[in-house]
Amino acid sequence: MRSLIPAGLAVASSLFGTAAAVAANPLPKPSSISWGSSGAFSVGKLDLNAPDSDVLSDGFNRATKAITDLKWIPAATEAPVRSFEPFPTPTGASSRKFKRQYNTTSSLKTVSVKVDDVRAGLTHGVDESYTLEIASGSSTIEITAKTVYGALHAFTTLQQIVINDGKGNMIVEQPVNIKDKPLYPVRGIMIDSGRNYLSKAKVIEQITGMALSKLNVLHWHIIDAQSWPLEIAAYPNMTEDAYSPNEVYTKAVLTEIIQFAKARGIRIIPEIDMPGHASSGWKQIDESILSCINSWWSNDDWPLHTAVEPNPGQLDPLNNKTYEVTGKVYKEVANIFPDPWFHIGGDELHINCYNFSSAIRDYWAGGKTMGDLVQHWVDTAIPNFKKQANKTFVMWEDVAISPDARASGNVPKDIVMQAWNNGLENIFNLTRDGYRVIVSSSDFFYLDCGYGGWVGNDQRYNEQANPNASIPNFNYGGGGGSWCAPYKTWQRIYDYDFTTNLTDTQKDLIQGAIAPLWSEQVDDTVISGKMWPRAAALAELVWSGNRDSKGNKRTTELTQRILNFREYLVANGVLAAPLMPKFCLQHPHECDLNLDQNALNKAPAAT
């Protein structure tokens, strides 16, 4: 009979002072994982017994190559926090590292994979579940999955639980039984190549990190007002607004990236932001389809600003040529990206920008409103897009819920709304109204927040003394120019309970979450450090949640797991930033704020 220790008990023992079952658990934590206690397995060359599938064989080869090449020794292991002498004694008890001794009892030789449907396509809602079992005394790793994409996740888990025992021997620490599936079908990150160009190599690096953490959707905000790096055959002049001829995505490059992602079970949803955030590229076709592109964005009088950042520009919904041009661009991009979802933007429209259009000024004079103009865009653009390529559209929430620029009438309920403002309130309101929702709340998930402002000639920084020490202000304890400050730490991301106060019907409308990294201050040199490993906290949140079987937040439990995962990302070529001094990795939980390892679930949230 197998001796299996439920994962929750293993972790509890780690947090409350007895030995943890194993040194390293996979990230994201599986929905169900039980470790045995009969002893370790040695791992040598593994043979694959699986259905004929390039996706399976390539995924297996990647996993086993990583195991063989890295010979990974967990950098942050799960172990009990050491004891400390109580205050007022100034010195702690002697530090004794918890050392595991591995006694191998069997040798693993074969990976047996059974897949119900090897032909299932990579689309929204595809089954990603899997099981992985290594029984006591067995020489076989047994994997089952409904589709090849579940099997890929199983390989990723296997790649994390085969570790180096510190003496050069590859082992699995104990028998294990895993039954795993994600909570949500949309689990992703957003990259922005419109503000600063991102090379093919760096986009692929993000996809590598996604595959390792079981994220499955790359939302690619390809263009913006600042640049147009996307090659469009119908309008080749658009790339004259790329930053340089070397900073352009050709169809061949895009196809290579799409195939790289698909092989790892990752969908790419492209975004062409319309009708706002529009200048570069579009103006090379016809400036008449745009408004306010030559205005001063802030107007040096903020109530009259035409954009939230330079440079301004919005497509003119009253110009019929707008729909001819956007339809052709959409059709071409939709044919390049095979995913059945397509993001058409819709955020941050400003009435001041449209005051630069004589036709729209006449429209206002006739009694029409900004909401009517947005409704005209919805009623005209969306059927036009559907006619070119019938896909499911994703839009930023503004079109349905913005107090300044929501459509005045009906916005189709089959459009998926991406919620980014006002946290729980907007999620509640959108799901109440019957929309499917992707959660990207800026208060929790915006990875570019907290780095200060970036616009130049800003007099607000010229402040030599604190003008009011009693409250945080711009340069003293405030945001320092970052509208969404503070920085979103991995704990902030992981602690987000975004279904709070939702009915079961509303919860069913939540499709998952995407963490955006806007690129005003991001390019190849910093993207991976700003994205990772914080995106891995999101990955676990939307894969298996942030609570244990008793309903307690398991953020503290995640600490060693995410510290180890950061090192694993770096070892795999993903240049993730450090989260703590390396001392913290080597001294489990000694860098926690509270010695009481259950403090998170006792105390009220900080104010």
Side-chain angles (χ1 to χ4, degrees):
M1 180 179 290
R2 302 185 190 106
S3 174
L4 296 174
I5 303 173
L9 295 179
V11 170
S13 64
S14 170
L15 295 180
F16 291 97
T18 59
V22 293
N25 274 290
L27 188 154
K29 182 177 181 177
S31 51
S32 172
I33 179 170
S34 298
W35 288 99
S37 59
S38 59
F41 298 81
S42 65
V43 180
K45 182 181 181 299
L46 292 172
D47 294 320
L48 177 65
N49 180 7
D52 185 20
S53 163
D54 289 343
V55 173
L56 287 177
S57 58
D58 291 348
F60 176 78
N61 289 338
R62 286 193 302 273
T64 52
K65 185 176 188 302
I67 291 168
T68 302
D69 291 354
L70 296 180
K71 295 181 171 56
W72 178 247
I73 300 175
T77 58
E78 298 180 18
V81 62
R82 70 181 178 93
S83 61
F84 290 82
E85 293 183 16
F87 183 85
T89 305
T91 57
S94 60
S95 176
R96 294 190 300 272
K97 284 191 176 182
F98 182 80
K99 293 184 178 180
R100 288 179 173 81
Q101 300 295 324
Y102 295 111
N103 177 33
T104 57
T105 59
S106 302
S107 179
L108 296 173
K109 298 178 180 178
T110 304
V111 177
S112 174
V113 180
K114 296 179 181 178
V115 176
D116 290 352
D117 182 2
V118 294
R119 295 182 177 85
L122 181 60
T123 189
H124 178 70
V126 67
D127 194 305
E128 299 175 85
S129 65
Y130 70 93
T131 68
L132 187 156
E133 182 176 19
I134 305 174
S136 179
S138 177
S139 63
T140 301
I141 300 162
E142 300 280 358
I143 291 171
T144 67
K146 299 293 185 182
T147 71
V148 293
Y149 304 109
L152 288 179
H153 293 318
F155 293 154
T156 301
T157 297
L158 177 64
Q159 155 178 357
Q160 290 188 47
I161 65 174
V162 177
I163 64 171
N164 189 327
D165 67 357
K167 301 176 182 177
N169 306 305
M170 302 309 294
I171 63 166
V172 173
E173 296 177 85
Q174 295 287 355
V176 66
N177 186 293
I178 297 171
K179 295 180 177 67
D180 205 9
K181 62 180 181 179
L183 288 173
Y184 296 100
V186 174
R187 310 178 307 280
I189 57 175
M190 189 211 79
I191 58 173
D192 168 13
S193 56
R195 275 54 179 260
N196 280 303
Y197 181 79
L198 301 171
S199 70
K200 180 184 75 173
K202 280 297 172 177
V203 175
I204 282 176
E205 187 176 318
Q206 307 321 301
I207 294 170
T208 299
M210 293 176 68
L212 290 171
S213 54
K214 299 186 176 75
L215 292 172
N216 71 334
V217 173
L218 178 64
H219 169 187
W220 191 350
H221 184 90
I222 305 177
I223 58 91
D224 212 284
Q226 291 89 344
S227 78
W228 188 282
L230 180 61
E231 184 180 77
I232 300 293
Y235 300 109
N237 288 349
M238 295 185 86
T239 52
E240 290 184 16
D241 285 337
Y243 289 128
S244 78
N246 292 328
E247 294 171 291
V248 173
Y249 303 110
T250 64
K251 183 177 179 180
V253 166
L254 293 174
T255 300
E256 184 179 346
I257 293 171
I258 291 165
Q259 291 304 314
F260 184 91
K262 181 182 179 182
R264 288 153 181 80
I266 294 168
R267 304 162 54 200
I268 299 182
I269 299 176
E271 179 186 355
I272 303 297
D273 202 351
M274 301 172 283
H277 291 271
S279 177
S280 293
W282 304 110
K283 72 177 188 285
Q284 295 295 337
I285 302 170
D286 187 344
E287 288 192 8
S288 75
I289 67 174
L290 296 163
S291 183
C292 84
I293 60 172
N294 293 313
S295 67
W296 180 247
W297 72 280
S298 75
N299 202 49
D300 285 0
D301 180 6
W302 190 248
L304 299 179
H305 69 280
T306 55
V308 292
E309 65 181 47
N311 50 317
Q314 296 173 181
L315 290 163
D316 185 344
L318 297 184
N319 187 331
N320 288 334
K321 189 170 182 181
T322 297
Y323 302 100
E324 174 191 337
V325 172
T326 56
K328 287 182 179 179
V329 170
Y330 162 75
K331 181 178 182 179
E332 186 166 330
V333 180
N335 287 335
I336 294 171
F337 288 88
D339 197 86
W341 286 24
F342 195 106
H343 203 306
I344 54 174
D347 62 322
E348 295 185 324
L349 285 171
H350 299 281
I351 193 169
N352 292 334
C353 177
Y354 283 136
N355 282 328
F356 282 78
S357 164
S358 59
I360 295 177
R361 288 199 304 271
D362 292 342
Y363 187 76
W364 305 146
K368 297 293 187 178
T369 67
M370 182 66 169
D372 294 330
L373 185 65
V374 175
Q375 188 67 52
H376 180 74
W377 167 260
V378 170
D379 292 342
T380 310
I382 289 175
N384 185 46
F385 293 150
K386 289 277 189 183
K387 184 172 62 176
Q388 310 301 325
N390 189 13
K391 298 204 174 196
T392 296
F393 294 129
V394 184
M395 296 185 75
W396 295 105
E397 64 181 20
D398 309 44
V399 68
I401 208 168
S402 166
D404 301 317
R406 66 173 175 263
S408 59
N410 177 59
V411 178
K413 293 297 192 294
D414 60 358
I415 295 175
V416 180
M417 293 294 167
Q418 192 163 359
W420 66 278
N421 262 317
N422 300 325
L424 298 174
E425 179 184 352
N426 282 15
I427 294 168
F428 180 90
N429 290 339
L430 288 164
T431 54
R432 175 203 61 201
D433 293 344
Y435 290 103
R436 289 179 289 170
V437 170
I438 296 170
V439 177
S440 294
S441 302
S442 55
D443 289 341
F444 289 84
F445 289 163
Y446 268 33
L447 301 180
D448 53 297
C449 297
Y451 288 95
W454 58 270
V455 295
N457 194 25
D458 190 339
Q459 73 281 4
R460 295 173 295 176
Y461 296 104
N462 186 24
E463 192 172 59
Q464 309 308 313
N466 192 339
N468 187 348
S470 64
I471 59 171
N473 51 78
F474 190 86
N475 289 307
Y476 297 90
S482 172
W483 73 271
C484 55
Y487 178 90
K488 314 308 175 193
T489 70
W490 66 269
Q491 292 179 85
R492 176 68 173 168
I493 294 165
Y494 191 70
D495 279 337
Y496 192 17
D497 296 325
F498 51 77
T499 61
T500 299
N501 298 326
L502 300 186
T503 66
D504 288 344
T505 299
Q506 288 175 290
K507 288 177 182 178
D508 288 342
L509 292 170
I510 301 296
Q511 303 302 295
I514 290 174
L517 178 58
W518 299 103
S519 73
E520 287 89 347
Q521 295 173 289
V522 173
D523 64 9
D524 275 11
T525 62
V526 298
I527 181 173
S528 294
K530 289 189 175 184
M531 184 75 75
W532 303 101
R534 290 185 294 159
L538 175 94
E540 179 161 309
L541 175 66
V542 290
W543 181 272
S544 57
N546 61 11
R547 295 178 183 272
D548 63 21
S549 59
K550 296 180 180 179
N552 292 321
K553 284 276 179 79
R554 63 186 192 206
T555 316
T556 302
E557 172 198 325
L558 175 61
T559 305
Q560 291 300 105
R561 194 157 64 247
I562 197 168
L563 292 177
N564 180 62
F565 191 72
R566 181 266 170 175
E567 304 298 318
Y568 194 66
L569 286 168
V570 173
N572 280 276
V574 181
L575 300 184
L579 295 176
M580 297 181 182
K582 202 161 190 175
F583 169 90
C584 309
L585 282 69
Q586 299 176 347
H587 298 80
H589 297 289
E590 291 193 36
C591 296
D592 292 355
L593 176 63
N594 300 286
L595 180 59
D596 180 354
Q597 297 290 282
N598 200 35
L600 176 67
N601 296 298
K602 291 180 178 178
T607 57

